[in-house]
Amino acid sequence: MGQWLANCRKTGGLGKDPKRAARRAAQLVAIDPDWQPGRPVDWQHAYAAVTRLVDLGTDLADVVPGVTAGGTGLGRWLARQHDHVVWQGLAAGQRERLAALGVTPLPPRQNTPARAPRNGSGGFERGCAASPSTPPARAPQGPSAVPTSRPPPSTARNTR
C-alpha cells in the first residue's frame, strides 16, 4: 500500500489523462486528506506514529530519544520538533499538527559567550608533560635470526 501511494504521489502517478488523474486525486482525498502531504514523507510517518502512541494513551513526556517504531526514532524526532530553529523551519500546517498534539517549541537559545582560547594548555601538551622523558626501549621489529632450540631434522637422534 505504501509503495502504491508513493507511486501515486509521483508526477503522472495518477494517470496521463488529466480528467482521470483529477478524479483519482479526489477519491484519494475522500479517503485521506493527507494522502499527498505537502511535507516530507519521513516527517509524516514519524508524526503519524507519534499520533498513534498518543491515541493509545502514551504521554508525550514518555516519548524520549531511544523510543522507536518501525525503525523510526520517534523520541529523537520529537525532541528535534521542540527545537526552536527546527520549529521555525516547519510549515504552518506542521506546526498546527504538532501544537494539537501538545508539542510546543522551546524558547530560542541565548548566545553563550565563547570560551577563551587555552593558549597551548590542551590535552596534547598535558600528555607530553606527563610522559616520561626517556621513551621505553622497543623490541626489534620484523623477522629475527634467533636460533631455535631444536636441532635440524638430519641431526636428530633417536633416544630410545
Side-chain angles (χ1 to χ4, degrees):
M1 183 59 129
Q3 184 61 52
W4 179 77
L5 272 177
N7 290 336
C8 288
R9 291 181 184 119
K10 291 179 182 177
T11 303
L14 294 176
K16 294 180 182 179
D17 178 25
K19 289 180 184 178
R20 182 183 311 141
R23 186 175 68 248
R24 289 177 176 173
Q27 290 170 337
L28 286 169
V29 167
I31 295 169
D32 182 5
D34 286 328
W35 78 273
Q36 188 172 20
R39 56 198 146 274
V41 176
D42 291 343
W43 189 94
Q44 185 68 21
H45 286 170
Y47 168 78
V50 170
T51 301
R52 279 192 300 273
L53 287 176
V54 170
D55 289 346
L56 292 171
T58 303
D59 187 33
L60 279 179
D62 295 332
V63 184
V64 295
V67 174
T68 62
T72 302
L74 300 180
R76 185 175 180 199
W77 176 85
L78 188 59
R80 284 189 38 81
Q81 304 313 302
H82 285 284
D83 185 78
H84 182 75
V85 174
V86 172
W87 184 272
Q88 294 304 315
L90 297 174
Q94 289 172 296
R95 288 192 296 265
E96 291 168 8
R97 290 171 183 272
L98 290 171
L101 276 178
V103 178
T104 56
L106 296 172
R109 293 184 191 144
Q110 300 296 324
N111 291 338
T112 56
R115 287 185 173 180
R118 299 176 102 177
N119 293 333
S121 62
F124 179 79
E125 288 79 8
R126 287 190 305 273
C128 288
S131 70
S133 60
T134 308
R138 293 187 168 260
Q141 300 287 326
S144 62
V146 177
T148 61
S149 61
R150 287 189 201 164
S154 61
T155 60
R157 293 187 227 162
N158 190 354
T159 57
R160 280 191 196 182

